[in-house]
Amino acid sequence: MHIEQLRDFCIAKKGVTEHFPFDESTLVFKVMDKMFLLTGLNNWEKGESKVNLKCNPEKAIELREEYEGIIAGFYMNKKHWNTVSINSSDVPDNFVKELINHSYDLVVSGLTKKLQKELEEL
């Protein structure tokens, strides 16, 4: 997966925007202004394609035990975030997309009813 493919997949989701809230190289995707994915563009340029994704706490632990390419979220709350290595790990692209969907869905489920309704109406 290339960064353009990652961006296209994320931005196609309903209510998603992209931002650089921390610096010029940390790309963040948000749904209704809540983060569900972030990635360092500098890492992609070095061939170290990684993303941080929100994850259900129990599932996060299971994934870390099953996949070498999934570790506790780097610079994130390790209970709720995983860092997923892409391309050079044992995590296939289709599964990365499933994990992105899981992260997006988790964030959407945590939105207020008002924001969920706004999202549905987009």
Side-chain angles (χ1 to χ4, degrees):
M1 180 181 297
H2 300 286
I3 189 66
E4 296 85 9
Q5 293 168 308
L6 174 74
R7 181 189 179 276
D8 291 345
F9 184 76
C10 291
I11 209 74
K13 297 183 164 308
K14 190 183 267 194
V16 170
T17 54
E18 60 185 328
H19 307 269
F20 288 90
F22 307 114
D23 55 39
E24 313 80 44
S25 65
T26 305
L27 176 59
V28 175
F29 290 96
K30 297 180 177 184
V31 56
M32 304 304 285
D33 211 33
K34 301 286 183 187
M35 283 194 313
F36 72 95
L37 183 149
L38 63 132
T39 187
L41 298 180
N42 291 342
N43 290 336
W44 286 79
E45 290 173 4
K46 292 187 244 175
E48 301 168 10
S49 44
K50 298 176 184 176
V51 294
N52 282 357
L53 297 168
K54 194 153 189 154
C55 191
N56 169 286
E58 291 95 33
K59 182 174 182 171
I61 293 167
E62 291 172 16
L63 291 171
R64 293 173 202 160
E65 291 172 353
E66 188 173 343
Y67 294 92
E68 286 182 29
I70 300 177
I71 61 172
F74 196 66
Y75 289 126
M76 305 297 287
N77 179 327
K78 293 173 182 2
K79 181 177 179 182
H80 296 281
W81 290 83
N82 279 336
T83 297
V84 180
S85 295
I86 302 173
N87 299 329
S88 62
S89 73
D90 58 340
V91 186
D93 285 358
N94 285 342
F95 190 55
V96 171
K97 289 179 180 179
E98 286 180 36
L99 294 173
I100 293 169
N101 288 338
H102 174 69
S103 181
Y104 175 90
D105 293 341
L106 261 180
V107 172
V108 168
S109 71
L111 295 173
T112 63
K113 290 186 190 278
K114 179 182 175 188
L115 285 176
Q116 287 179 1
K117 184 172 185 193
E118 284 180 32
L119 179 61
E120 285 176 22
E121 293 173 355
L122 291 178

